[in-house]
Amino acid sequence: MGQAQVIVVGNEKGGAGKSTLAIHIVCGLLHAGRRVAILDLDLRQRSMSHFFAHRAAWTAANNVVLPMPVEPDLGDGKALARADEAEQIARFDAAFAEAQGAGAEVILIDTPGGDTPLSRAAHARADQIVTPMNDSFVRKHRAIKEGRHAAIDWVVVTNRLAVAEARNRRRLEERMLKLAKRVGFRVGPGLRDRVIYRAIPDTTVRLANLRSGGIDLTERILATDIPTVRADPKLKLANSVSLAWFGLMINQENGPKSNNPLGKDPRVRRAFELALDRDAINQVVFNGEFVPGNQWVSPQSPYYQKDFPIPKRDIAKAKALMKEAGITGKLTLDYMVNNAPESRAIAEVVQSLVAEAGFDLKLRVVEVATALKAGEDGDFQIYALT
């Protein structure tokens, strides 16, 4: 059996994605049928070690077989980080020898950010060094060749680039190519661009950022803006039915506000539902883009209870039920609504629809956090949960 190839993932700069890249390389080698041993020298964080420990626990709990690397025991990482250099190197040498003795074809070593004795020792044994870099550019990296006679294959990959900083990314790529010729490394592709999440509550601002290139992806837009997106050749719309839903919550047994005909009489609640027209709400508020439903899952879901289909609007029956319940005039109700464009639009359409059956909804628009607290406290009669 030949000597194992040693791959070291290293960069003195922290946060460049070393451990993430190391995990991907190991998994790729394992699924290609290679025997892999790993050494995680980031003693305090141990991200790669924790990942494969969780992978082993998950496979055991779920009766799944997945290839796993061999990991020699380095002991308590935090304790070893506090040990002197001689003890650290001795433990590393023993673990490295164990990896070689386990018959590994590849030994992958993940190193910490910073210039440490263990990192230098790992680089001294490398056949191949993989250096991930992000758009903050690389710090000076020295490939240590002590005691080795073979040339080291040094690969530098661009990792976690910020998509919004295209100019900086181009400058980085140009400098890398120039530096590669001078220093003697190869340039390779790294992981996908870094995903940066931005909270943009205003839907109009969100769409404007998408169209101008300020953001690359938004998870949802107003249904009324969908025609604009479809008409823009620079944008692509992905449309699917999600788990999210819009619903009306009726207070039945939560505090004094439940003491009203809607909260106490099922006939009044039935009349309220018969006064609704879900298709009309979908067309008016959502341009027909949504899926009308009456359960917590979509009618397209295998968990949808088909024995309870969406009721058709029936104003005559709704009025009859109200009369049967003893409601002769208008039934005034507190209708709490989240302060969001679609929520307000839904509330106004619902208000108009049920008015024909004798319901007088008084809209109370509040911020989302306030609405959630009021919902828990029972400070509502109807709550538009969206």
Side-chain angles (χ1 to χ4, degrees), residues 236-297:
K236 182 177 180 180
L237 179 71
N239 194 4
S240 65
V241 177
S242 73
L243 296 176
W245 51 272
F246 289 82
L248 295 177
M249 314 298 287
I250 296 174
N251 188 351
Q252 297 184 51
E253 295 290 343
N254 188 6
K257 283 203 171 181
S258 66
N259 293 321
N260 63 81
L262 183 69
K264 298 303 181 184
D265 195 325
R267 294 170 296 183
V268 179
R269 292 195 292 274
R270 178 64 174 164
F272 189 96
E273 182 166 44
L274 290 172
L276 296 174
D277 187 335
R278 291 169 172 83
D279 288 320
I281 295 171
N282 184 35
Q283 293 299 326
V284 172
V285 180
F286 303 114
N287 280 1
E289 298 286 350
F290 279 29
V291 177
N294 64 326
Q295 299 174 28
W296 67 275
V297 292

Short mmCIF file of all heavy atoms in Angstrom, two decimals, residues 236-297:
data_model
loop_
_atom_site.label_atom_id
_atom_site.label_comp_id
_atom_site.label_asym_id
_atom_site.label_seq_id
_atom_site.Cartn_x
_atom_site.Cartn_y
_atom_site.Cartn_z
N LYS A 236 -36.20 36.31 -13.02
CA LYS A 236 -36.86 35.01 -13.21
C LYS A 236 -37.71 34.72 -11.98
O LYS A 236 -37.25 34.83 -10.85
CB LYS A 236 -35.81 33.90 -13.39
CG LYS A 236 -36.44 32.53 -13.63
CD LYS A 236 -35.36 31.47 -13.88
CE LYS A 236 -36.00 30.10 -14.12
NZ LYS A 236 -34.97 29.06 -14.36
N LEU A 237 -38.95 34.34 -12.22
CA LEU A 237 -39.89 34.07 -11.14
C LEU A 237 -40.02 32.57 -10.92
O LEU A 237 -40.29 31.82 -11.86
CB LEU A 237 -41.26 34.66 -11.47
CG LEU A 237 -42.36 34.44 -10.44
CD1 LEU A 237 -42.10 35.27 -9.20
CD2 LEU A 237 -43.73 34.78 -11.04
N ALA A 238 -39.80 32.13 -9.70
CA ALA A 238 -40.02 30.73 -9.33
C ALA A 238 -41.28 30.69 -8.46
O ALA A 238 -41.33 31.32 -7.41
CB ALA A 238 -38.82 30.17 -8.57
N ASN A 239 -42.27 29.96 -8.91
CA ASN A 239 -43.58 29.98 -8.25
C ASN A 239 -43.91 28.58 -7.74
O ASN A 239 -43.86 27.60 -8.49
CB ASN A 239 -44.65 30.44 -9.24
CG ASN A 239 -45.95 30.80 -8.55
OD1 ASN A 239 -46.03 30.77 -7.33
ND2 ASN A 239 -46.96 31.14 -9.34
N SER A 240 -44.23 28.47 -6.45
CA SER A 240 -44.61 27.18 -5.89
C SER A 240 -45.51 27.40 -4.69
O SER A 240 -45.47 28.46 -4.07
CB SER A 240 -43.38 26.36 -5.48
OG SER A 240 -42.69 27.00 -4.43
N VAL A 241 -46.30 26.40 -4.37
CA VAL A 241 -47.18 26.47 -3.20
C VAL A 241 -46.35 26.17 -1.96
O VAL A 241 -45.68 25.14 -1.88
CB VAL A 241 -48.35 25.48 -3.32
CG1 VAL A 241 -49.22 25.53 -2.07
CG2 VAL A 241 -49.19 25.81 -4.55
N SER A 242 -46.38 27.07 -1.00
CA SER A 242 -45.56 26.90 0.20
C SER A 242 -46.40 26.43 1.37
O SER A 242 -47.61 26.18 1.25
CB SER A 242 -44.89 28.24 0.55
OG SER A 242 -45.84 29.14 1.09
N LEU A 243 -45.75 26.31 2.52
CA LEU A 243 -46.45 25.94 3.75
C LEU A 243 -47.11 27.14 4.42
O LEU A 243 -47.89 26.97 5.36
CB LEU A 243 -45.49 25.27 4.73
CG LEU A 243 -44.89 23.94 4.28
CD1 LEU A 243 -43.88 23.44 5.31
CD2 LEU A 243 -45.98 22.89 4.08
N ALA A 244 -46.78 28.35 3.95
CA ALA A 244 -47.34 29.55 4.57
C ALA A 244 -48.83 29.66 4.24
O ALA A 244 -49.29 29.20 3.18
CB ALA A 244 -46.59 30.77 4.08
N TRP A 245 -49.57 30.30 5.14
CA TRP A 245 -51.00 30.46 4.90
C TRP A 245 -51.51 31.74 5.57
O TRP A 245 -50.92 32.26 6.50
CB TRP A 245 -51.79 29.25 5.42
CG TRP A 245 -51.48 28.85 6.84
CD1 TRP A 245 -50.49 27.99 7.24
CD2 TRP A 245 -52.13 29.29 8.04
NE1 TRP A 245 -50.48 27.86 8.60
CE2 TRP A 245 -51.48 28.65 9.12
CE3 TRP A 245 -53.19 30.16 8.30
CZ2 TRP A 245 -51.86 28.85 10.44
CZ3 TRP A 245 -53.56 30.35 9.62
CH2 TRP A 245 -52.90 29.70 10.67
N PHE A 246 -52.62 32.25 5.02
CA PHE A 246 -53.33 33.38 5.60
C PHE A 246 -54.60 32.82 6.23
O PHE A 246 -55.34 32.06 5.58
CB PHE A 246 -53.72 34.40 4.52
CG PHE A 246 -52.57 35.17 3.96
CD1 PHE A 246 -51.76 34.64 2.97
CD2 PHE A 246 -52.28 36.45 4.43
CE1 PHE A 246 -50.71 35.35 2.44
CE2 PHE A 246 -51.21 37.17 3.91
CZ PHE A 246 -50.42 36.63 2.92
N GLY A 247 -54.88 33.18 7.46
CA GLY A 247 -56.06 32.65 8.13
C GLY A 247 -56.71 33.65 9.07
O GLY A 247 -56.09 34.65 9.46
N LEU A 248 -57.95 33.39 9.42
CA LEU A 248 -58.68 34.20 10.38
C LEU A 248 -58.84 33.41 11.67
O LEU A 248 -59.37 32.29 11.66
CB LEU A 248 -60.06 34.58 9.84
CG LEU A 248 -60.08 35.48 8.60
CD1 LEU A 248 -61.51 35.71 8.13
CD2 LEU A 248 -59.41 36.81 8.90
N MET A 249 -58.36 33.97 12.76
CA MET A 249 -58.48 33.34 14.07
C MET A 249 -59.65 33.98 14.82
O MET A 249 -59.76 35.21 14.89
CB MET A 249 -57.18 33.52 14.87
CG MET A 249 -55.91 33.24 14.08
SD MET A 249 -55.80 31.53 13.51
CE MET A 249 -55.45 30.72 15.06
N ILE A 250 -60.51 33.15 15.37
CA ILE A 250 -61.68 33.63 16.12
C ILE A 250 -61.48 33.30 17.59
O ILE A 250 -61.22 32.14 17.96
CB ILE A 250 -62.97 32.99 15.59
CG1 ILE A 250 -63.21 33.45 14.14
CG2 ILE A 250 -64.16 33.37 16.47
CD1 ILE A 250 -64.39 32.76 13.47
N ASN A 251 -61.61 34.28 18.43
CA ASN A 251 -61.43 34.10 19.87
C ASN A 251 -62.69 33.45 20.46
O ASN A 251 -63.77 34.04 20.48
CB ASN A 251 -61.18 35.46 20.54
CG ASN A 251 -60.80 35.33 22.00
OD1 ASN A 251 -60.89 34.25 22.58
ND2 ASN A 251 -60.38 36.42 22.61
N GLN A 252 -62.53 32.21 20.95
CA GLN A 252 -63.67 31.49 21.51
C GLN A 252 -63.61 31.34 23.03
O GLN A 252 -64.64 31.37 23.69
CB GLN A 252 -63.78 30.09 20.87
CG GLN A 252 -64.06 30.13 19.38
CD GLN A 252 -64.26 28.74 18.82
OE1 GLN A 252 -65.06 27.95 19.33
NE2 GLN A 252 -63.52 28.42 17.76
N GLU A 253 -62.41 31.15 23.57
CA GLU A 253 -62.31 30.88 25.01
C GLU A 253 -61.10 31.54 25.65
O GLU A 253 -60.53 31.00 26.58
CB GLU A 253 -62.24 29.35 25.24
CG GLU A 253 -63.47 28.58 24.86
CD GLU A 253 -64.66 28.84 25.78
OE1 GLU A 253 -64.44 29.37 26.90
OE2 GLU A 253 -65.79 28.52 25.39
N ASN A 254 -60.71 32.71 25.15
CA ASN A 254 -59.51 33.35 25.67
C ASN A 254 -59.84 34.75 26.16
O ASN A 254 -59.63 35.75 25.46
CB ASN A 254 -58.41 33.39 24.59
CG ASN A 254 -57.07 33.87 25.14
OD1 ASN A 254 -56.91 34.05 26.35
ND2 ASN A 254 -56.10 34.05 24.27
N GLY A 255 -60.36 34.84 27.35
CA GLY A 255 -60.61 36.15 27.97
C GLY A 255 -61.96 36.74 27.64
O GLY A 255 -62.77 36.16 26.90
N PRO A 256 -62.22 37.94 28.17
CA PRO A 256 -63.52 38.59 28.03
C PRO A 256 -63.94 38.84 26.58
O PRO A 256 -65.13 38.84 26.27
CB PRO A 256 -63.34 39.92 28.78
CG PRO A 256 -62.20 39.68 29.72
CD PRO A 256 -61.30 38.71 29.04
N LYS A 257 -62.98 39.07 25.69
CA LYS A 257 -63.33 39.39 24.30
C LYS A 257 -63.92 38.20 23.54
O LYS A 257 -64.39 38.36 22.42
CB LYS A 257 -62.11 39.95 23.56
CG LYS A 257 -61.81 41.41 23.91
CD LYS A 257 -61.03 42.10 22.82
CE LYS A 257 -60.94 43.59 23.10
NZ LYS A 257 -60.20 44.31 22.04
N SER A 258 -63.88 37.01 24.15
CA SER A 258 -64.52 35.86 23.51
C SER A 258 -66.02 35.83 23.78
O SER A 258 -66.75 35.05 23.16
CB SER A 258 -63.88 34.57 23.99
OG SER A 258 -64.14 34.37 25.38
N ASN A 259 -66.48 36.67 24.71
CA ASN A 259 -67.90 36.68 25.08
C ASN A 259 -68.71 37.51 24.09
O ASN A 259 -69.08 38.66 24.35
CB ASN A 259 -68.06 37.23 26.51
CG ASN A 259 -67.46 36.30 27.54
OD1 ASN A 259 -67.58 35.08 27.42
ND2 ASN A 259 -66.82 36.86 28.55
N ASN A 260 -68.95 36.94 22.95
CA ASN A 260 -69.76 37.58 21.90
C ASN A 260 -70.37 36.46 21.05
O ASN A 260 -69.92 35.31 21.12
CB ASN A 260 -68.90 38.52 21.06
CG ASN A 260 -67.80 37.79 20.32
OD1 ASN A 260 -68.02 37.20 19.27
ND2 ASN A 260 -66.57 37.82 20.88
N PRO A 261 -71.40 36.74 20.27
CA PRO A 261 -72.06 35.69 19.49
C PRO A 261 -71.12 34.92 18.56
O PRO A 261 -71.29 33.71 18.37
CB PRO A 261 -73.12 36.47 18.69
CG PRO A 261 -73.42 37.65 19.55
CD PRO A 261 -72.12 38.03 20.17
N LEU A 262 -70.11 35.60 17.97
CA LEU A 262 -69.19 34.89 17.08
C LEU A 262 -68.35 33.89 17.87
O LEU A 262 -68.09 32.77 17.40
CB LEU A 262 -68.28 35.89 16.37
CG LEU A 262 -67.30 35.29 15.35
CD1 LEU A 262 -68.04 34.76 14.14
CD2 LEU A 262 -66.25 36.32 14.92
N GLY A 263 -67.91 34.29 19.06
CA GLY A 263 -67.07 33.40 19.85
C GLY A 263 -67.83 32.27 20.50
O GLY A 263 -67.26 31.20 20.76
N LYS A 264 -69.14 32.46 20.75
CA LYS A 264 -69.90 31.46 21.53
C LYS A 264 -70.87 30.64 20.70
O LYS A 264 -71.26 29.55 21.13
CB LYS A 264 -70.68 32.18 22.64
CG LYS A 264 -69.78 32.90 23.66
CD LYS A 264 -68.80 31.94 24.31
CE LYS A 264 -67.93 32.64 25.34
NZ LYS A 264 -66.91 31.73 25.91
N ASP A 265 -71.27 31.11 19.54
CA ASP A 265 -72.32 30.40 18.79
C ASP A 265 -71.76 29.86 17.47
O ASP A 265 -71.37 30.64 16.58
CB ASP A 265 -73.48 31.36 18.51
CG ASP A 265 -74.75 30.64 18.07
OD1 ASP A 265 -74.63 29.61 17.37
OD2 ASP A 265 -75.85 31.11 18.42
N PRO A 266 -71.72 28.55 17.29
CA PRO A 266 -71.19 27.97 16.04
C PRO A 266 -72.00 28.36 14.81
O PRO A 266 -71.47 28.37 13.70
CB PRO A 266 -71.22 26.46 16.29
CG PRO A 266 -72.20 26.27 17.40
CD PRO A 266 -72.10 27.50 18.24
N ARG A 267 -73.30 28.70 15.01
CA ARG A 267 -74.12 29.10 13.86
C ARG A 267 -73.62 30.44 13.30
O ARG A 267 -73.60 30.65 12.07
CB ARG A 267 -75.59 29.22 14.27
CG ARG A 267 -76.23 27.89 14.65
CD ARG A 267 -77.58 28.09 15.28
NE ARG A 267 -77.47 28.84 16.54
CZ ARG A 267 -78.51 29.11 17.33
NH1 ARG A 267 -79.74 28.72 16.99
NH2 ARG A 267 -78.33 29.78 18.45
N VAL A 268 -73.20 31.33 14.19
CA VAL A 268 -72.68 32.63 13.75
C VAL A 268 -71.34 32.44 13.03
O VAL A 268 -71.07 33.08 12.01
CB VAL A 268 -72.53 33.60 14.94
CG1 VAL A 268 -71.96 34.94 14.48
CG2 VAL A 268 -73.88 33.80 15.63
N ARG A 269 -70.52 31.55 13.55
CA ARG A 269 -69.24 31.28 12.88
C ARG A 269 -69.46 30.66 11.51
O ARG A 269 -68.76 30.97 10.54
CB ARG A 269 -68.37 30.37 13.76
CG ARG A 269 -67.90 31.04 15.04
CD ARG A 269 -66.78 30.27 15.69
NE ARG A 269 -67.21 28.97 16.22
CZ ARG A 269 -67.73 28.78 17.42
NH1 ARG A 269 -67.94 29.82 18.23
NH2 ARG A 269 -68.07 27.58 17.83
N ARG A 270 -70.44 29.78 11.41
CA ARG A 270 -70.77 29.17 10.12
C ARG A 270 -71.28 30.23 9.14
O ARG A 270 -70.93 30.23 7.96
CB ARG A 270 -71.82 28.08 10.32
CG ARG A 270 -72.29 27.39 9.05
CD ARG A 270 -71.18 26.64 8.36
NE ARG A 270 -71.67 25.88 7.22
CZ ARG A 270 -70.91 25.38 6.26
NH1 ARG A 270 -69.59 25.56 6.32
NH2 ARG A 270 -71.43 24.72 5.27
N ALA A 271 -72.09 31.15 9.65
CA ALA A 271 -72.60 32.24 8.81
C ALA A 271 -71.45 33.10 8.30
O ALA A 271 -71.44 33.52 7.14
CB ALA A 271 -73.61 33.08 9.60
N PHE A 272 -70.50 33.39 9.17
CA PHE A 272 -69.32 34.18 8.79
C PHE A 272 -68.57 33.49 7.65
O PHE A 272 -68.20 34.12 6.65
CB PHE A 272 -68.42 34.37 10.01
CG PHE A 272 -67.30 35.34 9.80
CD1 PHE A 272 -67.44 36.66 10.20
CD2 PHE A 272 -66.11 34.96 9.21
CE1 PHE A 272 -66.40 37.58 10.01
CE2 PHE A 272 -65.08 35.85 9.01
CZ PHE A 272 -65.22 37.17 9.41
N GLU A 273 -68.35 32.17 7.78
CA GLU A 273 -67.62 31.45 6.74
C GLU A 273 -68.39 31.44 5.43
O GLU A 273 -67.80 31.60 4.36
CB GLU A 273 -67.33 30.02 7.18
CG GLU A 273 -66.53 29.25 6.15
CD GLU A 273 -65.94 27.96 6.68
OE1 GLU A 273 -66.66 27.23 7.39
OE2 GLU A 273 -64.77 27.69 6.37
N LEU A 274 -69.71 31.27 5.49
CA LEU A 274 -70.51 31.24 4.26
C LEU A 274 -70.57 32.60 3.57
O LEU A 274 -70.87 32.69 2.38
CB LEU A 274 -71.93 30.75 4.56
CG LEU A 274 -72.05 29.26 4.93
CD1 LEU A 274 -73.46 28.94 5.40
CD2 LEU A 274 -71.67 28.39 3.73
N ALA A 275 -70.25 33.66 4.32
CA ALA A 275 -70.24 34.99 3.72
C ALA A 275 -68.93 35.28 2.99
O ALA A 275 -68.83 36.24 2.22
CB ALA A 275 -70.47 36.05 4.80
N LEU A 276 -67.92 34.45 3.23
CA LEU A 276 -66.62 34.64 2.58
C LEU A 276 -66.63 34.06 1.17
O LEU A 276 -67.35 33.11 0.87
CB LEU A 276 -65.52 33.95 3.39
CG LEU A 276 -65.25 34.49 4.79
CD1 LEU A 276 -64.23 33.60 5.51
CD2 LEU A 276 -64.74 35.93 4.73
N ASP A 277 -65.80 34.65 0.32
CA ASP A 277 -65.60 34.14 -1.04
C ASP A 277 -64.08 34.07 -1.25
O ASP A 277 -63.44 35.06 -1.60
CB ASP A 277 -66.26 35.06 -2.06
CG ASP A 277 -66.21 34.48 -3.48
OD1 ASP A 277 -65.31 33.65 -3.75
OD2 ASP A 277 -67.06 34.85 -4.30
N ARG A 278 -63.52 32.91 -1.00
CA ARG A 278 -62.06 32.76 -1.06
C ARG A 278 -61.52 33.02 -2.47
O ARG A 278 -60.43 33.56 -2.62
CB ARG A 278 -61.66 31.37 -0.56
CG ARG A 278 -61.88 31.18 0.95
CD ARG A 278 -61.74 29.71 1.32
NE ARG A 278 -61.75 29.51 2.76
CZ ARG A 278 -62.84 29.42 3.50
NH1 ARG A 278 -64.05 29.56 2.92
NH2 ARG A 278 -62.78 29.22 4.80
N ASP A 279 -62.27 32.60 -3.48
CA ASP A 279 -61.81 32.86 -4.85
C ASP A 279 -61.76 34.36 -5.14
O ASP A 279 -60.82 34.84 -5.80
CB ASP A 279 -62.73 32.17 -5.86
CG ASP A 279 -62.55 30.66 -5.86
OD1 ASP A 279 -61.40 30.20 -5.76
OD2 ASP A 279 -63.56 29.93 -5.94
N ALA A 280 -62.74 35.09 -4.65
CA ALA A 280 -62.76 36.54 -4.86
C ALA A 280 -61.58 37.20 -4.15
O ALA A 280 -60.93 38.10 -4.70
CB ALA A 280 -64.08 37.13 -4.36
N ILE A 281 -61.30 36.75 -2.91
CA ILE A 281 -60.15 37.29 -2.18
C ILE A 281 -58.86 37.03 -2.95
O ILE A 281 -58.01 37.91 -3.09
CB ILE A 281 -60.08 36.67 -0.77
CG1 ILE A 281 -61.29 37.08 0.06
CG2 ILE A 281 -58.79 37.10 -0.06
CD1 ILE A 281 -61.41 36.33 1.38
N ASN A 282 -58.73 35.83 -3.48
CA ASN A 282 -57.53 35.48 -4.24
C ASN A 282 -57.39 36.35 -5.48
O ASN A 282 -56.29 36.82 -5.80
CB ASN A 282 -57.59 33.99 -4.62
CG ASN A 282 -56.33 33.52 -5.33
OD1 ASN A 282 -55.23 33.97 -5.02
ND2 ASN A 282 -56.48 32.62 -6.28
N GLN A 283 -58.48 36.58 -6.18
CA GLN A 283 -58.42 37.37 -7.40
C GLN A 283 -58.14 38.84 -7.12
O GLN A 283 -57.31 39.47 -7.77
CB GLN A 283 -59.74 37.22 -8.19
CG GLN A 283 -59.99 35.84 -8.75
CD GLN A 283 -58.93 35.40 -9.75
OE1 GLN A 283 -58.38 36.21 -10.50
NE2 GLN A 283 -58.63 34.11 -9.77
N VAL A 284 -58.83 39.39 -6.10
CA VAL A 284 -58.72 40.83 -5.83
C VAL A 284 -57.38 41.18 -5.19
O VAL A 284 -56.70 42.13 -5.59
CB VAL A 284 -59.88 41.29 -4.91
CG1 VAL A 284 -59.66 42.74 -4.46
CG2 VAL A 284 -61.20 41.15 -5.64
N VAL A 285 -56.97 40.38 -4.17
CA VAL A 285 -55.75 40.71 -3.41
C VAL A 285 -54.50 40.11 -4.04
O VAL A 285 -53.44 40.75 -4.07
CB VAL A 285 -55.88 40.24 -1.95
CG1 VAL A 285 -54.63 40.60 -1.15
CG2 VAL A 285 -57.11 40.86 -1.29
N PHE A 286 -54.62 38.90 -4.56
CA PHE A 286 -53.43 38.17 -5.00
C PHE A 286 -53.37 37.93 -6.51
O PHE A 286 -52.58 37.10 -6.98
CB PHE A 286 -53.35 36.82 -4.28
CG PHE A 286 -53.33 36.94 -2.78
CD1 PHE A 286 -54.39 36.47 -2.01
CD2 PHE A 286 -52.27 37.55 -2.14
CE1 PHE A 286 -54.37 36.58 -0.63
CE2 PHE A 286 -52.26 37.67 -0.76
CZ PHE A 286 -53.31 37.19 -0.01
N ASN A 287 -54.23 38.63 -7.28
CA ASN A 287 -54.21 38.48 -8.74
C ASN A 287 -54.36 37.03 -9.19
O ASN A 287 -53.84 36.63 -10.24
CB ASN A 287 -52.92 39.06 -9.33
CG ASN A 287 -52.97 40.56 -9.47
OD1 ASN A 287 -53.96 41.18 -9.11
ND2 ASN A 287 -51.91 41.15 -9.99
N GLY A 288 -55.03 36.22 -8.38
CA GLY A 288 -55.24 34.83 -8.74
C GLY A 288 -54.00 33.96 -8.61
O GLY A 288 -54.00 32.80 -9.05
N GLU A 289 -52.95 34.46 -7.98
CA GLU A 289 -51.68 33.73 -7.89
C GLU A 289 -51.66 32.73 -6.73
O GLU A 289 -50.84 31.82 -6.72
CB GLU A 289 -50.52 34.71 -7.72
CG GLU A 289 -50.31 35.67 -8.88
CD GLU A 289 -49.70 35.02 -10.10
OE1 GLU A 289 -49.27 33.85 -9.99
OE2 GLU A 289 -49.67 35.66 -11.16
N PHE A 290 -52.52 32.92 -5.74
CA PHE A 290 -52.49 32.06 -4.56
C PHE A 290 -53.47 30.89 -4.72
O PHE A 290 -54.21 30.82 -5.70
CB PHE A 290 -52.85 32.87 -3.31
CG PHE A 290 -51.69 33.66 -2.75
CD1 PHE A 290 -50.67 34.12 -3.56
CD2 PHE A 290 -51.62 33.95 -1.41
CE1 PHE A 290 -49.60 34.85 -3.06
CE2 PHE A 290 -50.56 34.68 -0.88
CZ PHE A 290 -49.55 35.13 -1.71
N VAL A 291 -53.46 29.97 -3.78
CA VAL A 291 -54.35 28.81 -3.80
C VAL A 291 -55.36 28.96 -2.67
O VAL A 291 -54.98 28.93 -1.49
CB VAL A 291 -53.55 27.49 -3.62
CG1 VAL A 291 -54.51 26.30 -3.57
CG2 VAL A 291 -52.55 27.32 -4.76
N PRO A 292 -56.64 29.15 -2.97
CA PRO A 292 -57.64 29.25 -1.91
C PRO A 292 -57.70 27.94 -1.11
O PRO A 292 -57.56 26.85 -1.67
CB PRO A 292 -58.95 29.48 -2.66
CG PRO A 292 -58.53 30.02 -4.01
CD PRO A 292 -57.22 29.35 -4.31
N GLY A 293 -57.88 28.08 0.19
CA GLY A 293 -57.95 26.89 1.05
C GLY A 293 -58.78 27.16 2.27
O GLY A 293 -59.20 28.29 2.53
N ASN A 294 -59.01 26.11 3.05
CA ASN A 294 -59.78 26.26 4.29
C ASN A 294 -59.18 25.43 5.42
O ASN A 294 -59.84 25.21 6.44
CB ASN A 294 -61.24 25.84 4.06
CG ASN A 294 -61.38 24.37 3.71
OD1 ASN A 294 -60.51 23.81 3.04
ND2 ASN A 294 -62.46 23.75 4.13
N GLN A 295 -57.95 24.96 5.21
CA GLN A 295 -57.27 24.17 6.23
C GLN A 295 -55.84 24.69 6.36
O GLN A 295 -55.42 25.56 5.62
CB GLN A 295 -57.29 22.68 5.89
CG GLN A 295 -58.69 22.10 5.79
CD GLN A 295 -58.71 20.66 5.31
OE1 GLN A 295 -57.76 19.91 5.53
NE2 GLN A 295 -59.80 20.26 4.66
N TRP A 296 -55.11 24.12 7.32
CA TRP A 296 -53.74 24.61 7.54
C TRP A 296 -52.77 24.14 6.48
O TRP A 296 -51.62 24.60 6.43
CB TRP A 296 -53.27 24.19 8.93
CG TRP A 296 -53.07 22.72 9.09
CD1 TRP A 296 -54.01 21.80 9.42
CD2 TRP A 296 -51.86 21.99 8.93
NE1 TRP A 296 -53.47 20.53 9.47
CE2 TRP A 296 -52.14 20.62 9.17
CE3 TRP A 296 -50.55 22.35 8.60
CZ2 TRP A 296 -51.18 19.63 9.09
CZ3 TRP A 296 -49.59 21.35 8.52
CH2 TRP A 296 -49.90 20.01 8.77
N VAL A 297 -53.21 23.25 5.60
CA VAL A 297 -52.39 22.84 4.46
C VAL A 297 -53.16 23.14 3.18
O VAL A 297 -54.39 23.27 3.18
CB VAL A 297 -52.03 21.34 4.51
CG1 VAL A 297 -51.09 21.05 5.66
CG2 VAL A 297 -53.28 20.47 4.60
#
